[in-house]
Amino acid sequence: MLRVVPDRTTADALPAEASAKHLYYRLLQDASTVSTEARRYLETRLRATNEHSDELPEDPQALYEWSRACSAQVGRRYREYLDARRAGAPRRFFSCKSHALYFLRGVAPTKMVDGAWLYGLLPHWRDERFVPLVRTYLEELGEGRPEQNHVVLYRQLLDKQGCADWHDLDDEHYVQGAIQLALAAHAEEFLPELIGYNLGYEQLPLHLLITSYELNELGIDPYYFTLHITIDNAASGHAQKAVQSVLEVLPQGKAGAAFYQRIKAGVRLNELGASTLSVIGAFDLQRELVRVLQAKAQVGAELHSDYCCIGGLSVNEWLREPARIPAFLRCLEEEGWIHRGALSEESRFWRLIEGERAAMFGVFSGYERQLLRDWIMGGTPREPSFRARQKLMGETASRTAPTEMTETRLEDPACAAEALNSKELAATLMALMSPAQHHTPAGLAATRRFAHLLQQR
Ligand SMILES: [Fe+2]
Ligand SMILES: [Fe+2]
């Protein structure tokens, strides 16, 4: 896998107007209104990659070998990880369940636009050189089947784990998503960078294997991640298609060398912003719990009765001042509202939050309750893994029931007209297959129809 040297100072020095979060949502809303900003953003981000290094071969013809060698190395390192775990080593990534949920939430802006950069290549669907990447995009979209659409799957995972409230994440978390959407909006202009970005993104990383293993261990459905282990494989999957596309699009001679340098810059774009490893490494249970309580306090500061006094202050007085939250937690502990190190159910404070007729029922999301629980108990008690639980329940299907399929008729009336010629039809379908829409019933139906067109071209 790629090993690059991140340089945070370069990325941090970007001008304030280059807000990834702002651009991300604007690009999803209507990319045409932020075309100039998106171009500028990409240019700035590409300059930031100059400080990074990569391990791509100098000769592009060696890319297949490089990709397979990366994959084999990941396999060896994963074997070492499994051996260590079997010998009793603790989890490498997730200290507790809320740590895993923090990760799922932290990478949500990237996962919710999974595959977006390839959208910009759809207009080239009749050009054989681009077919492998168009196919990759369709596979990211599950070819229109909701149970295989990566964005649908990730959304379901977040919902099921009580992590759907991720929109308050800071700018760093939106960098990868903004890059992906900006590449989609400027595919023609940044074609080598887009192909390079895809090459870097689709290689199998070790963290994907470890993440899948540890999510399952913590009782969380790892399907979204295991799906990527298989679908991105270097023998026939997205990693292989990524290399194939580089070689097919690369011009001959001198132009080829310059094009390849731009491909490399595109590969390095993968290293900017928050990543799987940086998100996992940033977790601090106490700090995250305080952050959540401070955010809650903004809403709940005046909603409590003054009946109850803790450490000499009413609950409203504690919540009115966000800086008091750590002291509030200490007081709750000292005055016996919370018994740390014991089962959460033994804490009076916990019983206010969870259970029938709990006074604060519905105030905290699933993720927030898990944080508090892990904080009280000092970790997550060992429970059956996700797969073991599925087996116990005798179920083969592990995931939430897929979204209803919308068959044949697209919601857009323009598509219903069978008289459309294939060019017009393709254009209409493509509009519905944008990163903002492909996971909606209309988008899924359009994807199925487009996949059929691609087969018949
Ligand atoms: Fe994906
Ligand atoms: Fe992929």
Side-chain angles (χ1 to χ4, degrees):
M1 188 40 203
L2 299 170
R3 189 173 58 78
V4 292
V5 186
D7 180 1
R8 293 273 161 218
T9 46
T10 316
D12 291 346
L14 286 170
E17 66 267 24
S19 158
K21 190 168 182 171
H22 175 77
L23 191 61
Y24 178 93
Y25 287 114
R26 291 288 302 278
L27 279 166
L28 274 176
Q29 239 165 29
D30 184 356
S32 66
T33 60
V34 277
S35 178
T36 312
E37 287 94 325
R39 180 186 299 107
R40 254 191 246 130
Y41 185 74
L42 279 178
E43 286 165 353
T44 324
R45 289 294 162 173
L46 282 163
R47 275 199 298 278
T49 70
N50 289 338
E51 302 297 322
H52 294 236
S53 63
D54 61 64
E55 289 192 342
L56 250 62
E58 277 316 305
D59 178 5
Q61 299 305 325
L63 278 172
Y64 275 124
E65 205 183 308
W66 165 83
S67 174
R68 278 194 290 265
C70 290
S71 174
Q73 196 199 12
V74 165
R76 281 194 297 277
R77 290 177 63 197
Y78 185 52
R79 167 63 35 216
E80 286 163 17
Y81 165 82
L82 290 176
D83 290 345
R85 292 301 311 277
R86 263 183 219 118
R91 280 187 297 272
R92 190 181 291 180
F93 280 1
F94 306 127
S95 53
C96 53
K97 188 167 180 178
S98 55
H99 191 173
L101 300 185
Y102 173 88
F103 157 71
L104 293 181
R105 194 174 169 272
V107 295
T110 312
K111 305 296 185 194
M112 292 302 283
V113 294
D114 196 4
W117 62 97
L118 294 170
Y119 176 61
L121 296 182
L122 282 193
H124 296 286
W125 66 286
R126 286 176 184 278
D127 183 336
E128 285 301 321
R129 296 171 307 160
F130 292 102
V131 169
L133 294 185
V134 170
R135 284 232 170 86
T136 301
Y137 188 63
L138 292 184
E139 284 169 20
E140 297 290 334
L141 272 47
E143 295 189 339
R145 293 187 304 272
E147 68 276 17
Q148 293 287 309
N149 179 292
H150 297 189
V151 172
V152 172
L153 285 170
Y154 205 77
R155 186 193 290 257
Q156 288 177 344
L157 177 61
L158 291 174
D159 281 349
K160 199 168 175 189
Q161 296 300 330
C163 298
D165 61 334
W166 51 272
H167 299 273
D168 62 348
L169 290 166
D170 63 27
D171 212 60
E172 202 61 4
H173 295 260
Y174 286 86
V175 169
Q176 280 297 311
I179 288 173
Q180 295 179 5
L181 293 167
L183 283 172
H186 290 290
E188 303 298 323
E189 208 175 318
F190 293 91
L191 182 64
E193 288 83 3
L194 187 157
I195 291 171
Y197 182 82
N198 183 66
L199 178 66
Y201 196 94
E202 298 288 6
Q203 303 306 312
L204 177 69
L206 178 64
H207 62 68
L208 187 61
L209 294 156
I210 298 178
T211 300
S212 305
Y213 187 91
E214 296 192 0
L215 287 175
N216 174 55
E217 206 175 340
L218 286 161
I220 300 168
D221 185 353
Y223 182 67
Y224 174 87
F225 297 89
T226 53
L227 170 73
H228 283 84
I229 298 169
T230 49
I231 205 171
D232 292 345
N233 80 80
S236 59
H238 294 178
Q240 183 270 342
K241 286 192 177 82
V243 174
Q244 185 186 351
S245 314
V246 170
L247 298 179
E248 283 184 4
V249 179
L250 200 69
Q252 300 286 316
K254 258 195 177 168
F259 196 93
Y260 190 50
Q261 288 313 310
R262 290 181 61 189
I263 283 179
K264 284 183 158 199
V267 171
R268 295 194 298 268
L269 280 176
N270 279 282
E271 302 304 321
L272 303 179
S275 66
T276 291
L277 294 181
S278 74
V279 171
I280 291 170
F283 180 72
D284 178 300
L285 181 54
Q286 166 87 21
R287 196 174 55 213
E288 180 64 359
L289 179 64
V290 168
R291 181 197 68 77
V292 163
L293 294 177
Q294 285 174 338
K296 290 281 168 219
Q298 287 178 9
V299 183
E302 303 305 334
L303 301 181
H304 295 78
S305 65
D306 284 336
Y307 169 71
C308 174
C309 201
I310 299 164
L313 293 177
S314 72
V315 175
N316 286 335
E317 283 170 328
W318 277 115
L319 300 186
R320 218 168 276 151
E321 190 49 68
R324 285 185 184 149
I325 295 290
F328 181 44
L329 280 171
R330 270 198 305 278
C331 271
L332 285 170
E333 214 181 325
E334 282 161 14
E335 298 200 1
W337 287 79
I338 289 176
H339 298 293
R340 292 190 72 188
L343 287 175
S344 54
E345 289 76 8
E346 289 173 24
S347 288
R348 193 174 161 195
F349 186 71
W350 176 258
R351 293 198 299 271
L352 290 174
I353 286 167
E354 194 158 280
E356 262 177 68
R357 304 176 65 89
M360 286 195 281
F361 181 80
V363 169
F364 293 90
S365 71
Y367 166 61
E368 293 161 350
R369 289 199 304 278
Q370 189 65 47
L371 269 174
L372 185 61
R373 196 157 199 232
D374 288 343
W375 184 80
I376 293 174
M377 295 176 35
T380 314
R382 211 179 156 81
E383 282 172 20
S385 71
F386 176 79
R387 289 206 182 96
R389 244 187 9 237
Q390 293 306 118
K391 256 190 210 156
L392 280 174
M393 289 159 70
E395 286 177 22
T396 45
S398 59
R399 292 163 296 286
T400 323
T403 322
E404 282 276 293
M405 294 277 265
T406 308
E407 281 306 334
T408 52
R409 264 203 90 245
L410 295 173
E411 283 177 12
D412 187 332
C415 282
E418 291 301 326
L420 285 178
N421 67 37
S422 78
K423 202 174 165 194
E424 284 170 331
L425 176 62
T428 312
L429 296 177
M430 280 188 254
L432 289 164
M433 290 163 68
S434 73
Q437 290 193 76
H438 68 73
H439 42 88
T440 64
L444 291 162
T447 308
R448 293 195 293 279
R449 191 84 176 268
F450 188 88
H452 189 65
L453 268 188
L454 187 69
Q455 234 167 20
Q456 294 189 323
R457 82 191 183 287

